[in-house]
Amino acid sequence: MSNKDKRSRLIEFCSQAISEMPFQDEDGKEFPIKGYYVCPLCKKTFNLQELGDKVGDVLTLEDVPPKSLGGSPILVTCKKCNSKCGHDIDNWLLHELELQYGNKNRQLENADAVLNSHGKKVHTKVRIDEEKTICFDIRSKTNPPNAVDDFVNSVKSDGANYSIQVNLHVKKEKSNVQAARIAVLKSAYLYAFRKLGYYYILNDSLKPIRDQILNPDKDILHGTFIIGDQDTMPTKREDGVYIAIVNEYRFLVVLISFTVPSTGFICRGVVALPYPGSEEEGIRLYHEILSFNSKEERRQFQIRGPAKVTVRRGDNSIIYENG
């Protein structure tokens, strides 16, 4: 199936359930959503009829999780949000997961190293070949005259064993943990959108989530949205959106997996999202309810069951309940 066909089907899938319901756009103006697509990240509205064949220029397939971490296209976002999030947060998530769970040899690639044999030294660069063998490339430009010959002559061998001391100088890689955590939040938020639709994500309580995703340099949610990791993940639960409770406060929790490219290791996260309510309730979820003081407190949340949306067509009321 072409990307054009995938995009069309996903737009239809995400929009059809609420095609007749009025919503407010990012400027607070009400409009009938039929014939429009609303970007789940910025809430900008797009008139599909006016876009016509140019829809692909402004609406793009969104991989959840990011494609580099094992995701696949399950929805559509606007091109601006897709590009911004990919550059500002998704790249950092890939970087952080590779640092923590990836192939450690990749950190040695192109590192500086000094080989020492009986007082004779040469400066080298580390290289990992196709068979994952660590190699040391000696470069004459980085060594004094005759240094390489002196080093080679100084190496004493006993059969196949060589007495060489290696001093590595691995550069510390840049890190942005906050951006990586917000990328996890973004994947969880979009995963919930794919499962529950506009009925959920256009709720006022989700506004601080969108604000945090689109403004990763700001500390809006104080990083409390990730409430579990490899050590606290409910192992018997599949990836999905669930109703959970902590201290008698109800919220939604998303279980989501990421695959580290270099090792194939699958790491999972637990992300808290507000139960439908006011924007103030969404903020309170993160600033009060989920401000745990210890890992033990984080373990106390209980998952009640999968969340699903039931819509009463008569009065357009919405019920979130265990599926």
Side-chain angles (χ1 to χ4, degrees):
M1 183 185 301
S2 68
N3 285 344
K4 179 180 178 180
D5 291 337
K6 288 180 182 178
R7 183 172 54 247
S8 297
R9 290 193 178 190
L10 288 173
I11 288 174
E12 181 181 1
F13 175 83
C14 293
S15 302
Q16 63 184 354
I18 54 171
S19 60
E20 302 294 340
M21 295 187 67
F23 279 101
Q24 290 184 343
D25 61 17
E26 71 275 15
D27 297 321
K29 182 181 178 181
E30 283 200 357
F31 68 96
I33 202 169
K34 185 176 182 179
Y36 287 80
Y37 189 77
V38 181
C39 174
L41 288 173
C42 66
K43 280 186 64 178
K44 184 175 181 180
T45 58
F46 299 90
N47 187 316
L48 299 177
Q49 185 174 0
E50 289 182 359
L51 288 175
D53 294 336
K54 296 182 179 180
V55 64
D57 295 335
V58 291
L59 296 176
T60 56
L61 294 172
E62 179 80 36
D63 297 298
V64 181
K67 186 176 182 179
S68 60
L69 292 168
S72 58
I74 63 172
L75 52 91
V76 173
T77 56
C78 73
K79 188 174 184 178
K80 182 178 179 180
C81 285
N82 196 327
S83 299
K84 175 178 172 58
C85 289
H87 178 270
D88 292 350
I89 56 178
D90 289 341
N91 285 338
W92 285 113
L93 177 59
L94 171 62
H95 180 74
E96 292 296 329
L97 291 182
E98 281 287 2
L99 283 179
Q100 188 167 359
Y101 302 109
N103 187 338
K104 301 305 179 183
N105 283 343
R106 64 179 288 274
Q107 299 179 36
L108 299 177
E109 186 71 42
N110 209 37
D112 293 318
V114 177
L115 305 184
N116 188 334
S117 174
H118 298 87
K120 303 299 182 180
K121 301 178 180 179
V122 288
H123 295 271
T124 69
K125 284 284 186 180
V126 178
R127 173 175 54 85
I128 311 298
D129 68 12
E130 295 180 354
E131 297 180 355
K132 310 301 181 184
T133 301
I134 299 176
C135 307
F136 297 93
D137 290 337
I138 300 176
R139 303 178 183 181
S140 58
K141 292 183 179 181
T142 58
N143 289 282
N146 302 320
V148 176
D149 290 338
D150 291 343
F151 171 78
V152 173
N153 292 332
S154 71
V155 174
K156 293 184 177 181
S157 63
D158 180 13
N161 299 316
Y162 294 86
S163 177
I164 300 175
Q165 181 181 7
V166 180
N167 294 316
L168 288 171
H169 302 278
V170 180
K171 294 181 181 180
K172 186 176 181 180
E173 297 191 50
K174 293 182 179 180
S175 180
N176 192 334
V177 175
Q178 176 176 331
R181 289 170 63 85
I182 293 173
V184 175
L185 173 67
K186 186 208 78 169
S187 287
Y189 168 82
L190 292 178
Y191 192 84
F193 168 60
R194 182 63 170 79
K195 293 291 185 181
L196 303 178
Y198 284 112
Y199 282 120
Y200 176 60
I201 65 107
L202 291 184
N203 193 283
D204 286 346
S205 61
L206 275 293
K207 183 180 184 300
I209 308 295
R210 291 188 291 271
D211 289 343
Q212 181 66 91
I213 293 170
L214 296 178
N215 299 278
D217 294 334
K218 296 181 180 180
D219 187 13
I220 298 172
L221 304 179
H222 297 332
T224 56
F225 42 83
I226 297 181
I227 59 175
D229 51 26
Q230 291 298 111
D231 297 328
T232 57
M233 172 66 72
T235 55
K236 295 183 180 180
R237 298 282 186 179
E238 297 180 353
D239 284 5
V241 183
Y242 299 86
I243 293 178
I245 190 169
V246 63
N247 299 330
E248 299 183 355
Y249 187 88
R250 188 166 47 175
F251 62 99
L252 297 185
V253 64
V254 178
L255 309 185
I256 191 165
S257 298
F258 304 87
T259 303
V260 181
S262 66
T263 60
F265 180 78
I266 298 177
C267 51
R268 306 182 74 197
V270 187
V271 180
L273 294 177
Y275 198 78
S278 67
E279 180 180 346
E280 290 74 18
E281 284 296 298
I283 289 289
R284 194 169 78 86
L285 169 74
Y286 294 113
H287 291 338
E288 298 179 24
I289 306 302
L290 297 177
S291 296
F292 300 118
N293 294 320
S294 67
K295 284 188 176 182
E296 287 303 317
E297 287 183 317
R298 289 179 182 268
R299 297 175 192 271
Q300 292 177 4
F301 76 90
Q302 300 176 2
I303 294 179
R304 295 298 177 85
K308 73 174 184 178
V309 177
T310 300
V311 181
R312 293 172 178 169
R313 292 294 180 184
D315 55 6
N316 286 334
S317 62
I318 305 168
I319 303 172
Y320 295 82
E321 58 188 356
N322 293 352

